[in-house]
Amino acid sequence: MFVGEIMKNKGVGVIAVTRDQTMVEVLRLFRENNIGFVVVGKSNGEYLGTLSERDCCNAVAEYGAEAATMRVVDIMNRNVATCSTRDLLPVAMEIMTQRRTRHVLVMDGDDVVGVVSIGDVVKHRLDEAQLTEQELQDYICGARYH
């Protein structure tokens, strides 16, 4: 399966924050939207970086309580993991594994179209496994094979 297909099923788009928002503002956004990852955007639709729950934890570990009021631009990840809508899912999985990240920005050319997460990968693999199991059951029972 192509990453673009997951985006069609999941829906495109990302939640973006500004570089001047504080970490605690972003954490509230995480809670309100049940997410753990945002894009740090420029005003013209381009991105500067990303911020994840892990980035926030690392900031607290490094800066202590003052991390909560730090600007996103000071704690964000600038080395963003990306893949293309035309990449196969194992490519995104390999990027996650090599980069030790749970989220990969999905690009269509220069445009950010979404985020594929480890949860999306697990859901897709689970759906595949359940379909295979059902097909094997049908085959063994002779169902749908006349």
Side-chain angles (χ1 to χ4, degrees), residues 15-30 37-42 47-53 55-56 59 63 66-80:
I15 294 180
V17 298
T18 65
R19 58 184 282 133
D20 292 324
Q21 286 181 262
T22 65
M23 185 180 80
V24 77
E25 290 172 327
V26 174
L27 289 172
R28 287 186 184 120
L29 185 68
F30 286 172
F37 182 86
V38 291
V39 172
V40 182
K42 285 182 167 180
Y47 70 92
L48 297 169
T50 60
L51 190 69
S52 68
E53 292 169 319
D55 296 325
C56 294
Y63 302 108
E66 76 179 71
T69 58
M70 291 178 71
R71 297 180 325 144
V72 168
V73 72
D74 297 323
I75 58 175
M76 71 181 186
N77 176 14
R78 289 177 169 82
N79 187 14
V80 179

